């Protein structure tokens, strides 16, 4: 994804309030990481122009990087609507991946039709440490799907996530990312240059930066 597109989408996330930057009063994630940023890409669903732009960007990425894609998979729950819009644009079948298999009925973890050997692109809303995205990709693989890659709206660009995907041999691409967001936020006066520097340093060691 080009820098221009990454910053454009970062700008949209800021405009609709999907991203909150609070370097002086960090949030605490469920993982325990203290973070100066909170990103809720679920809000994009409520903004038609933004969700359409994201869907078109996803479709462009898939045509360019994963032209062999046969199935679009959405991660539950935030990746599901985006996967549906992208699958419609590309005229491809769609499935979605539960966090874990259902405890009743057929106990499916994957909903929809996936034939063995079909080439799949997994759509995610956000990549932080990478664990949940990788779990979804492995679930598709366990059902016989050939995962071409993971595509997400936004990534925090954590080194551990990048290393994890590299280790597993699964390509990952994002429409926007942390660096583009910080640059856009500074240019728009949302944060100062000093705050941008602090936020950039946090990304390098998110688990220990705030103690």
């Amino acid at each position: 994804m080009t820098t221009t597109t990454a910053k454009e989408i970062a700008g949209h996330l800021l405009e609709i309030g999907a991203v909150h930057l609070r370097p002086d009063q960090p949030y605490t994630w469920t993982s325990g990481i203290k973070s100066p940023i909170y990103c809720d890409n679920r809000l994009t669903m409520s903004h038609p122009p933004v969700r359409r732009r994201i869907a078109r960007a996803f479709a462009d990425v898939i045509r360019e990087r994963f032209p062999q894609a046969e199935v679009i998979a959405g991660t539950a729950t935030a990746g599901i609507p985006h996967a549906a819009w992208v699958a419609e644009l590309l005229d491809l079948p769609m499935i979605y991946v539960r966090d874990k298999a259902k405890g009743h009925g057929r106990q499916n973890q994957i909903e929809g039709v996936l034939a063995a050997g079909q080439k799949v692109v997994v759509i995610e809303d956000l990549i932080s440490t990478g664990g949940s995205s990788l779990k979804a990709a492995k679930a598709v693989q366990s059902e016989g799907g050939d995962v071409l890659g993971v595509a997400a709206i936004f990534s925090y660009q954590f080194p551990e996530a990048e290393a994890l995907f590299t280790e597993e041999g699964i390509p990952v691409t994002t429409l926007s990312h942390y660096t583009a967001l910080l640059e856009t936020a500074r240019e728009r006066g949302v944060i100062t240059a000093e705050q941008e520097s602090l936020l950039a340093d946090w990304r390098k060691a998110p688990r220990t930066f705030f103690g």
Side-chain angles (χ1 to χ4, degrees):
M1 189 54 58
T2 67
T3 300
T4 299
T5 300
K7 292 180 71 172
E8 177 195 351
I9 291 177
H12 288 319
L13 298 181
L14 286 166
E15 289 162 7
I16 67 173
V19 171
H20 296 272
L21 294 167
R22 207 165 68 180
D24 302 320
Q25 190 180 1
Y27 300 92
T28 300
W29 292 350
T30 54
S31 62
I33 292 176
K34 292 188 182 300
S35 169
I37 176 175
Y38 184 79
C39 186
D40 183 2
N41 288 333
R42 290 169 294 227
L43 295 183
T44 59
M45 296 186 295
S46 301
H47 297 269
V50 176
R51 75 188 189 207
R52 282 194 293 267
R53 179 67 185 97
I54 288 171
R56 290 196 303 270
F58 269 136
D60 289 343
V61 163
I62 292 168
R63 291 188 188 104
E64 179 181 342
R65 295 202 58 190
F66 311 114
Q68 309 94 336
E70 298 173 294
V71 178
I72 304 299
T75 58
T77 57
I80 292 175
H82 295 287
W85 295 318
V86 173
E88 183 67 17
L89 282 177
L90 296 175
D91 194 26
L92 290 175
M94 180 211 156
I95 60 176
Y96 74 83
V97 187
R98 296 177 181 274
D99 180 57
K100 59 183 178 181
K102 289 193 298 185
H104 58 279
R106 297 180 61 197
Q107 299 184 327
N108 293 338
Q109 184 170 5
I110 293 178
E111 300 291 357
V113 178
L114 175 64
Q118 281 191 305
K119 300 183 185 302
V120 181
V121 175
V122 177
I123 298 291
E124 179 69 278
D125 75 314
L126 176 71
I127 294 177
S128 54
T129 60
S132 61
S133 303
L134 191 59
K135 180 180 177 182
K138 287 187 171 182
V140 172
Q141 291 175 331
S142 71
E143 291 296 321
D146 178 4
V147 177
L148 299 178
V150 173
I153 298 173
F154 183 82
S155 169
Y156 287 105
Q157 296 177 298
F158 289 161
E160 68 176 276
E162 295 174 1
L164 190 61
F165 280 103
T166 299
E167 180 181 340
E168 294 295 334
I170 296 178
V172 60
T173 185
T174 63
L175 306 184
S176 191
H177 47 70
Y178 193 66
T179 300
L181 177 71
L182 295 189
E183 290 178 2
T184 304
R186 175 180 47 77
E187 290 168 0
R188 296 187 178 198
V190 177
I191 57 174
T192 65
E194 183 179 359
Q195 288 173 323
E196 180 185 15
S197 178
L198 181 147
L199 288 161
D201 287 342
W202 168 79
R203 182 186 66 82
K204 300 171 187 175
R207 296 185 183 278
T208 59
F209 188 81
F210 287 105

